[in-house]
Amino acid sequence: MTSTVTAAAVSKNFGAYQDAAVREPLIITKNGRPRTVLIAYEDYLRLMRRERRVELTSALDADDLAAVETSTMDPGLDHLNAELTKDKNATE
């Protein structure tokens, strides 16, 4: 579970919120809107490792590209298509 707290509350008692962020991410709001997230250092490192795991499509051979182009998603995972559409619309 993720907790939400105001920036003013964090500035008044940073140590306590820093300890809380080690247990779970802490969303910090400003003017009622989420602005930053305070997370444990280990979680940050894990996210950075995941971000760097990228393969270039230019490194794929013709057989691999054909396999990707003809692949289909399991029907039970159709809800993930909505996530892709939402992310694409947010960047346009």
Side-chain angles (χ1 to χ4, degrees):
M1 187 169 152
T2 303
S3 297
T4 302
V5 65
T6 65
V10 171
S11 69
K12 290 179 184 174
N13 199 0
F14 184 74
Y17 289 112
Q18 190 176 26
D19 291 341
V22 171
R23 293 185 298 277
E24 66 178 4
L26 183 66
I27 298 171
I28 303 170
T29 62
K30 185 172 182 179
N31 298 324
R33 296 185 186 138
R35 181 160 178 148
T36 56
V37 177
L38 187 61
I39 61 172
Y41 182 67
E42 291 79 16
D43 292 338
Y44 169 78
L45 292 176
R46 181 180 49 80
L47 290 170
M48 291 297 97
R49 280 192 304 271
R50 179 181 290 176
E51 180 179 288
R52 289 190 174 100
R53 251 189 343 194
V54 175
E55 293 189 31
L56 299 175
T57 55
S58 61
L60 297 175
D61 63 26
D63 290 338
D64 290 336
L65 282 174
V68 170
E69 289 173 348
T70 59
S71 65
T72 58
M73 186 114 73
D74 241 329
L77 301 174
D78 285 339
H79 66 282
L80 297 175
N81 288 329
E83 292 292 321
L84 292 173
T85 304
K86 182 177 75 175
D87 289 345
K88 183 180 177 185
N89 291 337
T91 59
E92 291 179 349

Coordinates of all heavy atoms in Angstrom, one line a residue:
M1 N 0.8 -1.2 0.0 CA 0.0 0.0 0.0 C 0.9 1.2 0.0 O 1.9 1.3 0.6 CB -0.9 0.0 1.2 CG -1.9 1.1 1.2 SD -3.1 0.8 2.5 CE -3.6 2.4 2.9
T2 N 0.4 2.3 -0.7 CA 1.2 3.5 -0.7 C 0.5 4.6 0.1 O -0.7 4.7 0.0 CB 1.3 4.0 -2.2 OG1 1.9 2.9 -2.9 CG2 2.1 5.2 -2.3
S3 N 1.2 5.3 0.8 CA 0.7 6.4 1.6 C 0.8 7.8 0.9 O 1.8 7.9 0.1 CB 1.3 6.5 3.0 OG 1.1 5.3 3.7
T4 N 0.0 8.7 1.2 CA 0.1 10.0 0.6 C 0.1 11.0 1.7 O -0.6 10.9 2.7 CB -1.2 10.3 -0.3 OG1 -1.3 9.3 -1.3 CG2 -1.1 11.7 -0.9
V5 N 1.0 12.0 1.5 CA 1.2 13.1 2.6 C 1.5 14.4 1.9 O 2.0 14.4 0.8 CB 2.3 12.6 3.6 CG1 3.6 12.6 2.9 CG2 2.4 13.5 4.8
T6 N 1.2 15.5 2.5 CA 1.5 16.8 2.0 C 3.0 17.1 2.1 O 3.7 16.7 3.0 CB 0.7 17.9 2.6 OG1 1.1 18.0 4.0 CG2 -0.8 17.6 2.6
A7 N 3.4 18.0 1.2 CA 4.8 18.5 1.3 C 5.1 19.2 2.6 O 6.2 19.1 3.2 CB 5.1 19.4 0.1
A8 N 4.1 19.9 3.1 CA 4.3 20.7 4.4 C 4.5 19.7 5.5 O 5.3 19.9 6.4 CB 3.0 21.5 4.6
A9 N 3.7 18.6 5.5 CA 3.9 17.6 6.6 C 5.3 17.0 6.6 O 5.9 16.7 7.6 CB 2.8 16.5 6.5
V10 N 5.7 16.7 5.3 CA 7.1 16.0 5.2 C 8.1 17.0 5.7 O 9.1 16.6 6.4 CB 7.3 15.6 3.7 CG1 8.7 15.2 3.5 CG2 6.3 14.5 3.3
S11 N 8.0 18.3 5.4 CA 9.0 19.2 5.8 C 9.1 19.4 7.3 O 10.1 19.6 7.9 CB 8.9 20.6 5.1 OG 7.7 21.2 5.6
K12 N 8.0 19.2 8.0 CA 7.9 19.3 9.4 C 8.5 18.1 10.1 O 8.9 18.2 11.3 CB 6.5 19.6 9.9 CG 6.0 21.0 9.5 CD 4.6 21.1 9.9 CE 4.0 22.5 9.5 NZ 2.6 22.6 9.7
N13 N 8.4 16.9 9.5 CA 8.8 15.7 10.2 C 9.4 14.8 9.2 O 9.0 13.6 9.0 CB 7.6 15.1 10.8 CG 8.0 14.1 11.9 OD1 9.2 13.9 12.2 ND2 7.0 13.5 12.5
F14 N 10.5 15.2 8.5 CA 11.1 14.5 7.4 C 11.6 13.1 7.9 O 11.5 12.1 7.2 CB 12.3 15.3 6.8 CG 12.9 14.6 5.6 CD1 12.2 14.5 4.4 CD2 14.1 14.0 5.8 CE1 12.8 13.9 3.3 CE2 14.7 13.3 4.7 CZ 14.0 13.3 3.5
G15 N 12.3 13.1 9.1 CA 12.8 11.8 9.6 C 11.8 10.7 9.6 O 12.1 9.6 9.2
A16 N 10.6 11.0 10.2 CA 9.6 10.0 10.3 C 9.1 9.5 8.9 O 8.9 8.3 8.7 CB 8.4 10.5 11.1
Y17 N 8.9 10.4 8.0 CA 8.5 10.1 6.7 C 9.6 9.3 5.9 O 9.3 8.4 5.1 CB 8.0 11.3 5.9 CG 6.7 11.7 6.5 CD1 6.6 13.0 7.1 CD2 5.5 11.0 6.4 CE1 5.4 13.4 7.7 CE2 4.3 11.4 6.9 CZ 4.2 12.6 7.5 OH 3.0 13.0 8.1
Q18 N 10.8 9.7 6.2 CA 11.9 9.0 5.5 C 11.9 7.5 6.0 O 12.1 6.6 5.2 CB 13.2 9.7 5.9 CG 14.4 9.2 5.2 CD 15.7 10.0 5.5 OE1 15.8 10.5 6.6 NE2 16.6 10.1 4.6
D19 N 11.7 7.3 7.3 CA 11.6 5.9 7.8 C 10.4 5.2 7.2 O 10.5 4.0 6.9 CB 11.5 5.9 9.3 CG 12.8 6.4 10.0 OD1 13.8 6.3 9.4 OD2 12.7 6.8 11.2
A20 N 9.3 5.9 7.0 CA 8.1 5.2 6.4 C 8.3 4.8 5.0 O 7.9 3.8 4.5 CB 6.9 6.2 6.5
A21 N 9.1 5.6 4.3 CA 9.4 5.4 2.9 C 10.2 4.1 2.7 O 10.2 3.5 1.6 CB 10.0 6.6 2.2
V22 N 10.9 3.7 3.7 CA 11.7 2.5 3.6 C 10.8 1.3 3.6 O 11.0 0.3 2.9 CB 12.7 2.4 4.8 CG1 13.4 1.0 4.9 CG2 13.8 3.5 4.7
R23 N 9.6 1.4 4.2 CA 8.6 0.3 4.3 C 7.7 0.3 3.1 O 7.3 -0.8 2.6 CB 7.8 0.4 5.5 CG 8.6 0.2 6.8 CD 7.7 0.2 8.0 NE 7.1 1.4 8.3 CZ 7.6 2.5 8.9 NH1 8.8 2.4 9.4 NH2 6.9 3.6 9.1
E24 N 7.4 1.5 2.5 CA 6.5 1.6 1.4 C 6.7 3.0 0.7 O 7.1 3.9 1.4 CB 5.0 1.4 1.8 CG 4.5 2.5 2.7 CD 3.0 2.4 3.0 OE1 2.4 1.3 2.7 OE2 2.5 3.3 3.7
P25 N 6.4 3.0 -0.6 CA 6.6 4.3 -1.3 C 5.6 5.4 -0.6 O 4.5 5.1 -0.1 CB 6.1 4.1 -2.7 CG 6.3 2.6 -2.9 CD 6.0 2.0 -1.5
L26 N 6.1 6.6 -0.6 CA 5.3 7.7 0.0 C 5.1 8.8 -1.1 O 6.0 9.4 -1.6 CB 6.1 8.3 1.1 CG 5.5 9.4 1.9 CD1 4.3 8.9 2.7 CD2 6.5 10.0 2.9
I27 N 3.8 9.0 -1.5 CA 3.5 10.0 -2.4 C 3.4 11.4 -1.7 O 2.7 11.5 -0.7 CB 2.2 9.7 -3.2 CG1 2.3 8.4 -3.9 CG2 1.8 10.8 -4.1 CD1 1.0 7.9 -4.5
I28 N 4.1 12.3 -2.2 CA 4.1 13.7 -1.6 C 3.3 14.6 -2.5 O 3.6 14.7 -3.7 CB 5.5 14.2 -1.4 CG1 6.3 13.2 -0.5 CG2 5.5 15.6 -0.7 CD1 7.8 13.4 -0.4
T29 N 2.3 15.3 -1.9 CA 1.5 16.2 -2.7 C 1.9 17.6 -2.5 O 2.4 18.0 -1.4 CB 0.0 16.0 -2.4 OG1 -0.2 16.3 -1.0 CG2 -0.4 14.5 -2.7
K30 N 1.6 18.4 -3.5 CA 1.7 19.9 -3.3 C 0.4 20.5 -4.0 O 0.1 20.2 -5.1 CB 3.0 20.4 -4.0 CG 3.2 21.9 -3.8 CD 4.5 22.3 -4.4 CE 4.8 23.7 -4.1 NZ 6.1 24.2 -4.6
N31 N -0.2 21.3 -3.2 CA -1.5 21.9 -3.7 C -2.5 20.9 -4.1 O -3.2 21.0 -5.0 CB -1.2 22.9 -4.8 CG -0.4 24.1 -4.4 OD1 -0.4 24.6 -3.3 ND2 0.5 24.5 -5.4
G32 N -2.5 19.8 -3.3 CA -3.5 18.7 -3.5 C -3.2 17.7 -4.6 O -4.0 16.8 -4.9
R33 N -2.1 17.9 -5.3 CA -1.7 17.1 -6.5 C -0.4 16.3 -6.2 O 0.5 16.8 -5.7 CB -1.5 17.9 -7.7 CG -2.8 18.6 -8.1 CD -2.5 19.4 -9.4 NE -3.7 20.2 -9.8 CZ -3.6 21.4 -10.2 NH1 -2.5 22.0 -10.4 NH2 -4.7 22.0 -10.5
P34 N -0.4 15.0 -6.6 CA 0.8 14.2 -6.4 C 2.0 14.9 -7.2 O 1.8 15.4 -8.3 CB 0.5 12.9 -7.1 CG -1.0 12.8 -7.1 CD -1.5 14.2 -7.2
R35 N 3.1 15.0 -6.5 CA 4.2 15.7 -7.1 C 5.5 14.9 -7.1 O 6.2 14.9 -8.1 CB 4.5 17.1 -6.4 CG 5.6 17.8 -7.1 CD 5.5 19.3 -6.7 NE 6.7 19.9 -7.3 CZ 6.6 21.2 -7.7 NH1 5.5 21.8 -7.6 NH2 7.7 21.7 -8.2
T36 N 5.8 14.3 -6.0 CA 7.0 13.4 -5.9 C 6.7 12.2 -5.2 O 5.7 12.1 -4.5 CB 8.1 14.2 -5.2 OG1 7.7 14.6 -3.9 CG2 8.6 15.4 -6.0
V37 N 7.6 11.2 -5.3 CA 7.5 10.0 -4.5 C 8.8 9.7 -3.8 O 9.9 9.8 -4.4 CB 7.2 8.8 -5.4 CG1 7.2 7.5 -4.7 CG2 5.9 9.0 -6.2
L38 N 8.7 9.4 -2.5 CA 9.9 9.1 -1.7 C 9.9 7.6 -1.5 O 8.9 7.0 -1.1 CB 9.7 9.8 -0.3 CG 10.9 9.7 0.6 CD1 12.2 10.4 0.0 CD2 10.6 10.4 2.0
I39 N 11.0 6.9 -2.0 CA 11.1 5.5 -1.9 C 12.4 5.1 -1.3 O 13.4 5.9 -1.2 CB 11.0 4.8 -3.3 CG1 12.1 5.3 -4.2 CG2 9.7 5.1 -3.9 CD1 12.2 4.6 -5.6
A40 N 12.5 3.8 -0.9 CA 13.7 3.3 -0.3 C 14.8 3.3 -1.4 O 14.5 3.1 -2.6 CB 13.5 1.9 0.2
Y41 N 16.0 3.4 -1.0 CA 17.2 3.4 -1.9 C 17.3 2.1 -2.6 O 17.5 2.1 -3.8 CB 18.5 3.7 -1.1 CG 19.7 3.7 -2.0 CD1 19.9 4.7 -2.9 CD2 20.7 2.7 -1.9 CE1 21.0 4.8 -3.7 CE2 21.8 2.8 -2.7 CZ 21.9 3.8 -3.6 OH 23.0 3.8 -4.4
E42 N 17.0 1.0 -2.0 CA 17.0 -0.3 -2.6 C 16.0 -0.4 -3.7 O 16.2 -1.0 -4.8 CB 16.8 -1.5 -1.6 CG 18.0 -1.7 -0.7 CD 18.0 -0.6 0.5 OE1 16.9 0.1 0.7 OE2 19.0 -0.5 1.1
D43 N 14.8 0.2 -3.5 CA 13.8 0.2 -4.6 C 14.2 1.0 -5.7 O 14.0 0.7 -6.9 CB 12.5 0.7 -4.0 CG 11.8 -0.2 -3.0 OD1 12.2 -1.4 -3.0 OD2 11.0 0.3 -2.2
Y44 N 14.9 2.2 -5.5 CA 15.4 3.0 -6.5 C 16.4 2.3 -7.4 O 16.3 2.3 -8.6 CB 16.0 4.3 -5.9 CG 16.8 5.1 -6.9 CD1 16.2 5.9 -7.8 CD2 18.2 5.0 -6.9 CE1 16.9 6.6 -8.7 CE2 18.9 5.7 -7.9 CZ 18.3 6.5 -8.8 OH 19.0 7.3 -9.7
L45 N 17.3 1.6 -6.7 CA 18.3 0.8 -7.5 C 17.7 -0.3 -8.3 O 18.0 -0.5 -9.5 CB 19.3 0.1 -6.5 CG 20.3 1.1 -5.8 CD1 21.1 0.3 -4.8 CD2 21.1 1.9 -6.7
R46 N 16.6 -1.0 -7.8 CA 15.9 -2.0 -8.6 C 15.2 -1.4 -9.8 O 15.3 -1.9 -10.9 CB 14.9 -2.7 -7.6 CG 14.1 -3.8 -8.3 CD 13.1 -4.4 -7.4 NE 12.3 -3.4 -6.6 CZ 11.2 -2.8 -7.2 NH1 10.8 -3.0 -8.4 NH2 10.5 -1.9 -6.4
L47 N 14.6 -0.2 -9.6 CA 14.0 0.4 -10.8 C 15.0 0.9 -11.8 O 14.7 0.8 -13.0 CB 13.2 1.6 -10.3 CG 11.9 1.3 -9.5 CD1 11.4 2.6 -8.8 CD2 10.9 0.7 -10.3
M48 N 16.1 1.3 -11.4 CA 17.2 1.7 -12.3 C 17.7 0.5 -13.1 O 18.0 0.7 -14.3 CB 18.3 2.5 -11.6 CG 17.9 3.8 -11.1 SD 17.4 5.0 -12.4 CE 15.7 4.9 -12.4
R49 N 17.9 -0.6 -12.5 CA 18.3 -1.8 -13.2 C 17.3 -2.2 -14.2 O 17.6 -2.6 -15.3 CB 18.6 -2.9 -12.2 CG 19.9 -2.9 -11.5 CD 20.2 -4.2 -10.7 NE 19.2 -4.6 -9.8 CZ 19.1 -4.2 -8.5 NH1 20.0 -3.4 -8.0 NH2 18.1 -4.6 -7.8
R50 N 16.0 -2.2 -13.8 CA 15.0 -2.5 -14.8 C 14.9 -1.6 -16.0 O 14.7 -2.0 -17.1 CB 13.6 -2.5 -14.0 CG 12.5 -2.9 -14.9 CD 11.2 -2.9 -14.2 NE 11.1 -4.0 -13.3 CZ 10.1 -4.1 -12.4 NH1 9.1 -3.3 -12.4 NH2 10.1 -5.1 -11.6
E51 N 15.1 -0.3 -15.7 CA 15.0 0.7 -16.8 C 16.1 0.4 -17.8 O 16.0 0.7 -19.0 CB 15.2 2.1 -16.2 CG 15.1 3.2 -17.3 CD 15.3 4.5 -16.6 OE1 14.4 5.0 -16.0 OE2 16.4 5.1 -16.8
R52 N 17.3 -0.1 -17.4 CA 18.4 -0.3 -18.3 C 18.3 -1.6 -19.1 O 19.2 -1.8 -19.9 CB 19.7 -0.2 -17.5 CG 19.9 1.3 -17.1 CD 21.3 1.4 -16.5 NE 21.6 2.8 -16.2 CZ 21.5 3.3 -15.0 NH1 21.1 2.6 -14.0 NH2 21.7 4.6 -14.8
R53 N 17.4 -2.4 -18.8 CA 17.2 -3.7 -19.5 C 16.5 -3.5 -20.8 O 15.3 -3.7 -20.9 CB 16.5 -4.7 -18.6 CG 17.4 -5.8 -18.1 CD 16.6 -6.9 -17.4 NE 15.3 -6.5 -17.1 CZ 14.5 -7.2 -16.3 NH1 15.0 -8.3 -15.7 NH2 13.3 -6.8 -15.9
V54 N 17.2 -3.0 -21.8 CA 16.5 -2.7 -23.1 C 17.3 -3.4 -24.2 O 18.5 -3.5 -24.2 CB 16.6 -1.1 -23.3 CG1 16.1 -0.8 -24.7 CG2 15.9 -0.4 -22.2
E55 N 16.5 -3.9 -25.1 CA 17.1 -4.5 -26.3 C 16.7 -3.7 -27.5 O 15.5 -3.4 -27.6 CB 16.7 -6.0 -26.4 CG 17.3 -6.8 -25.3 CD 17.0 -8.3 -25.5 OE1 17.0 -8.7 -26.7 OE2 16.9 -9.0 -24.5
L56 N 17.6 -3.5 -28.4 CA 17.3 -2.7 -29.6 C 16.7 -3.7 -30.6 O 17.1 -4.8 -30.8 CB 18.6 -2.1 -30.2 CG 19.3 -1.1 -29.3 CD1 20.6 -0.7 -29.9 CD2 18.4 0.1 -29.0
T57 N 15.6 -3.2 -31.2 CA 15.0 -4.0 -32.3 C 15.9 -4.2 -33.5 O 15.9 -5.2 -34.2 CB 13.7 -3.4 -32.8 OG1 13.9 -2.1 -33.2 CG2 12.6 -3.4 -31.7
S58 N 16.9 -3.3 -33.6 CA 17.9 -3.4 -34.7 C 18.8 -4.6 -34.5 O 19.4 -5.1 -35.4 CB 18.7 -2.1 -34.9 OG 19.4 -1.9 -33.7
A59 N 18.8 -5.1 -33.2 CA 19.7 -6.3 -32.9 C 19.0 -7.6 -33.2 O 19.6 -8.6 -33.1 CB 20.1 -6.2 -31.5
L60 N 17.7 -7.6 -33.5 CA 17.0 -8.8 -33.8 C 17.2 -9.2 -35.2 O 17.3 -8.4 -36.1 CB 15.5 -8.6 -33.6 CG 15.0 -8.2 -32.1 CD1 13.5 -7.9 -32.1 CD2 15.4 -9.3 -31.2
D61 N 17.3 -10.6 -35.4 CA 17.4 -11.1 -36.8 C 16.0 -11.2 -37.4 O 15.0 -10.9 -36.7 CB 18.1 -12.4 -36.8 CG 17.4 -13.5 -36.1 OD1 16.2 -13.5 -35.9 OD2 18.1 -14.5 -35.6
A62 N 15.9 -11.5 -38.7 CA 14.6 -11.6 -39.4 C 13.6 -12.5 -38.8 O 12.4 -12.2 -38.7 CB 14.9 -11.9 -40.9
D63 N 14.1 -13.7 -38.3 CA 13.2 -14.7 -37.7 C 12.6 -14.1 -36.4 O 11.4 -14.3 -36.1 CB 14.0 -16.0 -37.4 CG 14.3 -16.7 -38.7 OD1 13.7 -16.5 -39.7 OD2 15.3 -17.5 -38.6
D64 N 13.4 -13.5 -35.6 CA 12.9 -12.9 -34.3 C 11.9 -11.8 -34.6 O 10.8 -11.7 -34.0 CB 14.0 -12.3 -33.5 CG 14.9 -13.4 -32.9 OD1 14.4 -14.6 -32.7 OD2 16.1 -13.2 -32.6
L65 N 12.2 -10.9 -35.6 CA 11.3 -9.8 -36.0 C 9.9 -10.4 -36.5 O 8.9 -9.9 -36.1 CB 11.9 -8.9 -37.0 CG 12.9 -7.9 -36.5 CD1 13.5 -7.2 -37.7 CD2 12.3 -6.9 -35.6
A66 N 10.0 -11.5 -37.3 CA 8.8 -12.1 -37.8 C 8.0 -12.7 -36.6 O 6.7 -12.6 -36.6 CB 9.1 -13.2 -38.8
A67 N 8.6 -13.3 -35.7 CA 7.9 -13.8 -34.5 C 7.2 -12.8 -33.7 O 6.1 -12.9 -33.2 CB 8.9 -14.6 -33.6
V68 N 7.9 -11.6 -33.5 CA 7.3 -10.5 -32.8 C 6.1 -10.0 -33.6 O 5.0 -9.7 -33.0 CB 8.3 -9.4 -32.6 CG1 7.6 -8.1 -32.0 CG2 9.4 -9.9 -31.6
E69 N 6.2 -9.8 -34.9 CA 5.1 -9.2 -35.7 C 3.9 -10.2 -35.7 O 2.8 -9.7 -35.8 CB 5.6 -9.0 -37.1 CG 6.6 -7.8 -37.1 CD 7.3 -7.6 -38.5 OE1 7.1 -8.5 -39.4 OE2 7.9 -6.6 -38.7
T70 N 4.1 -11.5 -35.6 CA 3.0 -12.4 -35.7 C 2.5 -12.8 -34.3 O 1.5 -13.6 -34.3 CB 3.3 -13.6 -36.5 OG1 4.4 -14.3 -35.9 CG2 3.7 -13.2 -38.0
S71 N 3.1 -12.4 -33.3 CA 2.7 -12.8 -31.9 C 1.3 -12.2 -31.6 O 0.9 -11.1 -32.1 CB 3.7 -12.4 -30.9 OG 3.8 -11.0 -30.8
T72 N 0.6 -12.9 -30.7 CA -0.7 -12.4 -30.2 C -0.7 -12.5 -28.7 O 0.1 -13.3 -28.1 CB -1.9 -13.3 -30.8 OG1 -1.6 -14.6 -30.4 CG2 -2.0 -13.1 -32.3
M73 N -1.5 -11.7 -28.1 CA -1.6 -11.7 -26.6 C -2.6 -12.7 -26.2 O -3.6 -12.9 -26.8 CB -2.0 -10.3 -26.2 CG -2.0 -10.2 -24.7 SD -0.7 -9.0 -24.1 CE -1.4 -7.5 -24.5
D74 N -2.4 -13.3 -25.0 CA -3.3 -14.2 -24.4 C -4.6 -13.5 -24.2 O -4.6 -12.3 -23.7 CB -2.8 -14.7 -23.0 CG -2.6 -16.2 -22.9 OD1 -3.4 -16.9 -23.6 OD2 -1.7 -16.6 -22.2
P75 N -5.8 -14.0 -24.5 CA -7.1 -13.3 -24.2 C -7.2 -12.8 -22.8 O -7.8 -11.8 -22.6 CB -8.1 -14.3 -24.6 CG -7.4 -15.3 -25.5 CD -6.0 -15.3 -25.1
G76 N -6.7 -13.5 -21.8 CA -6.8 -13.1 -20.4 C -6.0 -11.9 -20.1 O -6.1 -11.3 -19.0
L77 N -5.2 -11.4 -21.0 CA -4.4 -10.2 -20.8 C -4.8 -9.0 -21.6 O -4.1 -8.0 -21.8 CB -2.9 -10.5 -21.1 CG -2.3 -11.7 -20.3 CD1 -0.9 -12.0 -20.8 CD2 -2.3 -11.4 -18.8
D78 N -6.0 -9.1 -22.2 CA -6.5 -8.0 -23.0 C -6.5 -6.6 -22.3 O -6.4 -5.6 -22.9 CB -7.9 -8.3 -23.5 CG -7.9 -9.3 -24.7 OD1 -6.8 -9.5 -25.3 OD2 -8.9 -9.9 -24.9
H79 N -6.7 -6.7 -21.0 CA -6.7 -5.4 -20.2 C -5.4 -4.6 -20.3 O -5.4 -3.4 -20.1 CB -7.0 -5.7 -18.7 CG -5.9 -6.5 -18.0 ND1 -5.8 -7.9 -18.2 CD2 -5.0 -6.1 -17.2 CE1 -4.7 -8.3 -17.5 NE2 -4.2 -7.2 -16.9
L80 N -4.3 -5.3 -20.7 CA -3.0 -4.6 -20.8 C -3.0 -3.7 -22.1 O -2.3 -2.7 -22.1 CB -1.9 -5.6 -20.9 CG -1.7 -6.5 -19.6 CD1 -0.6 -7.5 -19.9 CD2 -1.4 -5.6 -18.5
N81 N -3.8 -4.1 -23.1 CA -3.9 -3.2 -24.3 C -4.5 -1.8 -23.9 O -4.0 -0.8 -24.4 CB -4.8 -3.9 -25.3 CG -4.2 -5.1 -26.0 OD1 -3.0 -5.1 -26.1 ND2 -5.0 -6.0 -26.3
A82 N -5.4 -1.8 -22.9 CA -5.9 -0.5 -22.5 C -4.8 0.3 -21.9 O -4.8 1.6 -22.0 CB -7.0 -0.7 -21.5
E83 N -3.9 -0.3 -21.2 CA -2.7 0.4 -20.6 C -1.9 1.0 -21.7 O -1.4 2.1 -21.5 CB -1.9 -0.5 -19.7 CG -2.6 -1.0 -18.4 CD -2.8 0.1 -17.4 OE1 -1.9 1.0 -17.3 OE2 -3.9 0.2 -16.8
L84 N -1.6 0.3 -22.7 CA -0.8 0.8 -23.8 C -1.5 2.0 -24.5 O -0.8 3.0 -24.8 CB -0.6 -0.3 -24.9 CG 0.3 -1.5 -24.4 CD1 0.3 -2.5 -25.5 CD2 1.7 -1.0 -24.2
T85 N -2.8 1.9 -24.7 CA -3.5 3.0 -25.3 C -3.5 4.2 -24.4 O -3.3 5.3 -24.9 CB -5.0 2.6 -25.6 OG1 -4.9 1.4 -26.4 CG2 -5.7 3.6 -26.3
K86 N -3.7 4.0 -23.1 CA -3.7 5.1 -22.2 C -2.3 5.8 -22.2 O -2.2 7.0 -22.2 CB -4.0 4.6 -20.8 CG -4.1 5.7 -19.7 CD -4.5 5.1 -18.4 CE -3.3 4.4 -17.8 NZ -3.5 3.9 -16.4
D87 N -1.2 5.0 -22.1 CA 0.1 5.6 -22.1 C 0.4 6.4 -23.4 O 0.9 7.5 -23.4 CB 1.2 4.5 -22.0 CG 1.2 4.0 -20.5 OD1 0.6 4.6 -19.6 OD2 1.8 2.9 -20.3
K88 N -0.1 5.8 -24.5 CA 0.2 6.5 -25.8 C -0.6 7.8 -25.9 O -0.1 8.8 -26.4 CB -0.3 5.6 -27.0 CG 0.0 6.1 -28.3 CD -0.5 5.2 -29.4 CE -0.3 5.8 -30.8 NZ -0.8 5.0 -31.9
N89 N -1.8 7.8 -25.5 CA -2.7 9.0 -25.5 C -2.1 10.1 -24.6 O -2.2 11.3 -24.8 CB -4.1 8.7 -25.1 CG -4.8 7.9 -26.2 OD1 -4.4 7.9 -27.4 ND2 -5.9 7.2 -25.8
A90 N -1.5 9.7 -23.5 CA -0.9 10.7 -22.5 C 0.3 11.4 -23.1 O 0.6 12.5 -22.7 CB -0.5 9.9 -21.2
T91 N 1.0 10.8 -24.0 CA 2.2 11.4 -24.6 C 1.9 12.2 -25.8 O 2.8 12.9 -26.3 CB 3.3 10.3 -24.9 OG1 2.7 9.4 -25.8 CG2 3.7 9.6 -23.6
E92 N 0.7 12.1 -26.4 CA 0.4 12.8 -27.6 C 0.0 14.2 -27.3 O -0.4 14.6 -26.3 CB -0.7 12.1 -28.4 CG -0.2 10.8 -28.9 CD -1.2 10.0 -29.7 OE1 -2.4 10.4 -29.6 OE2 -0.9 9.1 -30.4

